[in-house]
Amino acid sequence: LQAGGTDVTGTTRATLDLSTNPAGWPHLPQAQAAYLCAAVTKLEACERDKDYACRVNVAGTVALAQKLQAAGTFCVFLSSNH
């Protein structure tokens, strides 16, 4: 995308931790589209700490999508079958 001239912004857990309260998240840049890829992906980690996995994989992801959609951003959510 960047090679084609599209502005691309990425985040990491250090800049946007989905397990925390959305009120404390940093300002998100205006975007036409967002690809939501953040997740606890190791099945063993999800089973070991179900509350944390739910905060990140469900509550945090939904809150992020809602915040982006409220700003007019089209969201693409990637998921697995687990």
Side-chain angles (χ1 to χ4, degrees), residues 8-33:
V8 176
T9 302
T11 62
T12 67
R13 190 175 339 154
T15 59
L16 181 60
D17 185 349
L18 294 182
S19 71
T20 62
N21 185 329
W25 292 351
H27 172 73
L28 301 173
Q30 188 66 28
Q32 289 182 333

Side-chain angles (χ1 to χ4, degrees), residues 1-75:
L1 292 171
Q2 284 178 318
T6 302
D7 289 335
V8 176
T9 302
T11 62
T12 67
R13 190 175 339 154
T15 59
L16 181 60
D17 185 349
L18 294 182
S19 71
T20 62
N21 185 329
W25 292 351
H27 172 73
L28 301 173
Q30 188 66 28
Q32 289 182 333
Y35 291 83
L36 307 182
C37 307
V40 179
T41 58
K42 293 184 180 178
L43 190 54
E44 301 83 26
C46 291
E47 291 172 348
R48 184 174 55 252
D49 192 345
K50 293 177 182 177
D51 290 336
Y52 175 76
C54 187
R55 278 196 317 273
V56 173
N57 294 356
V58 180
T61 302
V62 168
L64 178 58
Q66 289 172 334
K67 190 170 188 167
L68 289 166
Q69 286 180 323
T73 302
F74 178 80
C75 295

